[in-house]
């Protein structure tokens, strides 16, 4: 019995044949990453978009459209076409549905390639396809009452683009089927050794057991040229990089921290950052919600809006107060904003971590609520980004080349931890908020309490990191 090859398998094959071989032929060895909350959300959103495509076709009664029709071939190809339409003149159209706001053609997400695989499978199974369309979301659609499928959805005829790559894709499909049928393959080294860590899959450690931690992949923004050079010389260990090897200042700091086994600290830079802050200090963090199909009026596909904030206010005399707000209903953040206005005074620095995110939310809220635009612009003017300190002025090899608060906090304040919290990160907070607004009271209260605890830790962590820096500069 031949191995089954689906569109998802084929895309994985194109990215890395050996990771697909392992998944299919030796699933016990394959380091299955978890089906993350983020991936679960993507899957749900795919179904949600399909629901509106169905509504779109339901309105056009004369159109004969079939959803999720299966095509299978004897040599193992398997496709479940999102939608198939019998056209008036006797032809057939295939629709590939996406929850993005454009047709993607980059290496990691090539929608034309996806559609081409479906066409090849359908045609090899005996179904002629005359027209191929991609259905995606209209990024400019702004919800106003009931969703209008005709305005939400964009249909793009991509028949020519699909036919253009059909011959080469058919060849790749054949190679993928043949490769899956092989009994073994060369497991040594990964082609991804030349790529940054963001490109490594869950199997990287399995195929590259000799790459240590910390490695050259811990260096921030290492160029392709430098990475290729180091790999060609068999240098993977951060500590094996020659003394005189040309690196950027930021990379040198990470390397220096790894070499010394102690953090690299620029006291002057930290002092300068701290002197730029003025009391009271407002440690602010938003949690947001976004969805492919807009949930609320005046929102658009994939546009975020804040649903929660945590705010710790630190006075010069050390007094610390905590405020928070959690939107318990699915509505725009006008009440959140009113509360924030009451909680934040006219003086003092607003401290955030990765402040560009908070600034973007403020700009979006200013667009939604022009009455608050001056207040929100003022917040952005008064904002300082605590993360920046950890980019150059305080670097510890244990951050593993990252400046995320989730990496910095356990090193700086090991007594504080996100472990054990029901909500662990932004993606799970978004998921929890959606469940909370849909849940009955008791469950909703439990989720609310988890969300409040998570967001409070985010700002308390900033307070403690700030206090650490103050002690450090003495
Ligand atoms: S890290 Fe290795 S196994 Fe994973 S995608 Fe890259 S080459 Fe394939």
């Amino acid at each position: 019995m031949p191995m089954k090859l689906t569109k998802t398998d084929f895309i994985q094959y194109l990215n890395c044949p050996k990771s697909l071989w392992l998944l299919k032929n030796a699933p016990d060895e394959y380091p299955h990453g978890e089906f993350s909350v983020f991936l679960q959300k993507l899957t749900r959103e795919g179904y949600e978009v399909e629901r509106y495509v169905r509504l779109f076709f339901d309105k056009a009664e004369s159109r004969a459209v079939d959803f999720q029709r299966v095509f299978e071939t004897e040599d193992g190809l398997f496709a479940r076409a999102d939608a198939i339409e019998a056209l008036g003149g006797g032809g057939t159209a295939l629709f590939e549905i996406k929850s993005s706001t454009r047709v993607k053609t980059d290496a990691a997400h090539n929608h034309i390639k996806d559609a081409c695989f479906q066409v090849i499978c359908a045609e090899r199974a005996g179904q002629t396809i005359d027209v191929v369309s991609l259905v995606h979301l209209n990024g400019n659609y702004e919800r106003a009452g009931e969703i209008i499928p005709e305005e939400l959805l964009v249909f793009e005829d991509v028949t020519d683009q699909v036919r253009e790559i059909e011959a080469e894709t058919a060849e790749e499909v054949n190679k993928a089927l043949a490769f899956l049928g092989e009994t073994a393959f060369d497991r040594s080294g990964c082609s991804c050794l030349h790529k940054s860590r963001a490109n490594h899959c869950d199997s990287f450690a399995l195929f590259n057991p000799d790459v240590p931690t910390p490695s050259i992949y811990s260096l921030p923004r290492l160029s392709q040229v430098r990475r290729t050079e180091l790999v060609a010389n068999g240098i993977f260990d951060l500590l094996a990089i020659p003394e005189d090897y040309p690196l950027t200042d930021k990379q040198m700091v990470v390397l220096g921290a790894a070499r010394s086994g102690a953090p690299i600290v620029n006291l002057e830079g930290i002092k300068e950052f701290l002197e730029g802050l003025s009391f009271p200090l407002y440690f602010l963090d938003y949690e947001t919600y976004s969805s492919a199909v807009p949930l609320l009026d005046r929102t658009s596909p994939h546009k975020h809006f804040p649903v929660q904030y945590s705010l710790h206010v630190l006075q010069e005399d050390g007094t610390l107060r905590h405020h928070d707000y959690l939107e318990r209903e699915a509505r725009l953040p006008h009440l959140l904003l009113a509360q924030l206005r009451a909680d934040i005074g006219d003086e003092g620095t607003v401290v955030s971590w990765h402040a560009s995110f908070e600034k973007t939310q403020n700009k979006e809220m200013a667009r939604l609520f022009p009455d608050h635009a001056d207040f929100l612009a003022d917040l952005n003017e008064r904002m300082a980004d605590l993360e920046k300190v950890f980019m150059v002025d305080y670097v510890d090899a244990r951050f593993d080349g990252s400046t995320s608060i989730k990496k910095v906090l356990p090193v700086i304040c090991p007594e504080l931890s996100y472990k054990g919290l029901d909500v662990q990160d932004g993606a799970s907070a978004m998921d929890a908020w959606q469940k909370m607004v849909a849940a009955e009271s008791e469950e909703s209260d439990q989720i609310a309490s988890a969300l409040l605890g998570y967001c409070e830790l985010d700002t308390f962590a900033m307070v403690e990191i700030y206090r650490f820096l103050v002690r450090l500069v003495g």
Side-chain angles (χ1 to χ4, degrees):
M1 179 111 157
M3 192 71 69
K4 201 191 251 187
L5 186 77
T6 67
K7 178 180 68 184
T8 308
D9 298 333
F10 178 59
I11 300 304
Q12 184 171 351
Y13 167 83
L14 291 179
N15 287 327
C16 175
K18 63 190 202 179
S19 83
L20 178 67
W21 189 96
L22 199 67
L23 174 69
K24 298 292 231 178
N25 288 300
D28 293 345
E29 272 189 78
Y30 189 84
H32 292 272
E34 316 167 12
F35 189 39
S36 67
V37 171
F38 176 69
L39 287 176
Q40 290 170 36
K41 183 169 184 286
L42 280 187
T43 306
R44 273 201 312 273
E45 291 189 335
Y47 290 133
E48 177 79 346
V49 176
E50 185 183 309
R51 192 161 77 80
Y52 285 98
V53 177
R54 284 176 187 260
L55 285 175
F56 175 90
F57 283 119
D58 282 352
K59 285 189 186 173
E61 282 169 8
S62 58
R63 296 180 75 165
V65 180
D66 233 15
F67 287 86
Q68 303 294 326
R69 193 189 294 177
V70 167
F71 297 102
E72 261 179 295
T73 67
E74 281 185 2
D75 57 356
L77 294 190
F78 181 95
R80 200 183 285 280
D82 289 334
I84 290 282
E85 180 178 18
L87 300 171
T92 301
L94 178 144
F95 297 87
E96 175 78 7
I97 302 171
K98 300 292 180 194
S99 55
S100 60
T101 53
R102 64 184 172 86
V103 174
K104 293 185 184 173
T105 53
D106 49 283
H109 307 99
N110 189 331
H111 292 167
I112 304 295
K113 205 76 170 170
D114 288 357
C116 192
F117 176 89
Q118 301 294 74
V119 170
I120 288 170
C121 183
E123 297 202 323
R124 286 192 187 174
Q127 172 67 64
T128 305
I129 302 293
D130 303 283
V131 179
V132 189
S133 292
L134 276 169
V135 189
H136 62 83
L137 298 174
N138 169 10
N140 296 321
Y141 175 73
E142 203 173 270
R143 183 168 184 162
E146 282 296 302
I147 294 279
I148 302 170
E150 295 77 359
E151 292 178 13
L152 173 71
L153 303 169
V154 177
F155 288 74
E156 282 197 43
D157 185 330
V158 293
T159 314
D160 291 346
Q161 287 119 291
V162 166
R163 292 300 176 200
E164 234 170 72
I165 61 163
E166 189 181 355
E168 93 191 21
T169 307
E171 225 170 278
E172 290 164 343
V173 165
N174 294 341
K175 281 189 185 155
L177 287 170
F179 184 67
L180 281 185
E182 286 175 16
T183 49
F185 66 96
D186 177 11
R187 290 182 175 229
S188 61
C190 269
S191 53
C192 281
L193 286 171
H194 298 274
K195 296 183 183 169
S196 69
R197 185 155 55 186
N199 294 288
H200 299 168
C201 77
D202 294 336
S203 308
F204 184 81
L206 181 84
F207 289 123
N208 306 282
D210 297 334
V211 173
T213 305
S215 69
I216 58 170
Y217 304 102
S218 308
L219 290 174
R221 295 178 184 272
L222 187 66
S223 72
Q224 185 67 37
V225 173
R226 294 274 172 254
R227 200 164 31 247
T228 304
E229 207 166 60
L230 290 168
V231 170
N233 287 303
I235 297 173
F236 295 102
D237 189 338
L238 203 52
L239 301 177
I241 294 178
E243 288 287 338
D244 56 350
Y245 193 74
L247 293 173
T248 64
D249 289 351
K250 283 185 183 170
Q251 292 160 358
M252 280 306 291
V253 178
V254 173
L255 179 57
R259 279 196 183 127
S260 68
I264 299 287
V265 183
N266 173 13
L267 284 178
E268 281 313 307
I270 297 173
K271 255 188 206 156
E272 200 179 309
F273 175 83
L274 294 175
E275 281 165 10
L277 308 179
S278 55
F279 285 97
L281 301 181
Y282 295 98
F283 294 88
L284 175 67
D285 181 61
Y286 291 133
E287 296 304 326
T288 61
Y289 183 78
S290 77
S291 53
V293 175
L295 179 69
L296 303 176
D297 283 0
R298 302 187 64 207
T299 61
S300 299
H302 300 293
K303 245 310 182 256
H304 288 249
F305 56 90
V307 293
Q308 176 181 9
Y309 70 78
S310 172
L311 179 74
H312 274 93
V313 186
L314 183 65
Q315 302 290 341
E316 197 158 11
D317 65 4
T319 314
L320 183 68
R321 268 184 310 129
H322 180 242
H323 305 264
D324 56 17
Y325 183 90
L326 173 63
E327 185 51 82
R328 297 289 298 262
E329 289 178 31
R331 61 184 162 207
L332 287 178
H334 55 281
L335 295 176
L336 176 149
L337 204 39
Q339 184 63 49
L340 187 68
R341 230 179 153 152
D343 288 342
I344 295 193
D346 296 336
E347 304 282 321
T349 305
V350 181
V351 183
S352 226
W353 194 283
H354 200 72
S356 60
F357 181 75
E358 268 66 32
K359 284 185 176 177
T360 302
Q361 301 320 311
N362 287 342
K363 283 185 193 153
E364 181 56 17
M365 286 196 287
R367 185 189 72 80
L368 289 167
F369 305 107
D371 285 356
H372 294 282
D374 289 347
F375 165 69
L376 291 161
D378 182 50
L379 285 192
N380 280 359
E381 284 285 309
R382 290 158 56 195
M383 204 168 280
D385 192 345
L386 189 54
E387 182 186 25
K388 290 208 166 131
V389 173
F390 295 90
M391 290 178 173
V392 279
D393 294 327
Y394 191 103
V395 177
D396 191 306
R398 289 171 292 171
F399 301 158
D400 200 19
S402 167
T403 52
S404 148
I405 196 165
K406 307 281 185 308
K407 288 278 188 182
V408 172
L409 184 68
V411 176
I412 300 292
C413 307
E415 67 284 3
L416 287 182
S417 170
Y418 288 87
K419 282 193 187 121
L421 293 184
D422 287 340
V423 175
Q424 297 264 329
D425 54 31
S428 55
M430 207 183 274
D431 186 59
W433 184 78
Q434 187 184 23
K435 286 185 178 137
M436 180 195 71
V437 294
E440 296 298 328
S441 58
E442 196 179 326
E443 191 195 351
S444 171
D445 289 348
Q446 278 170 6
I447 302 175
S449 143
L451 280 166
L452 289 165
Y454 165 70
C455 201
E456 180 173 353
L457 179 56
D458 266 346
T459 51
F460 187 61
M462 281 195 268
V463 172
E464 287 298 295
I465 290 171
Y466 162 81
R467 285 172 167 161
F468 168 84
L469 295 175
V470 171
R471 286 195 299 275
L472 192 70
V473 299

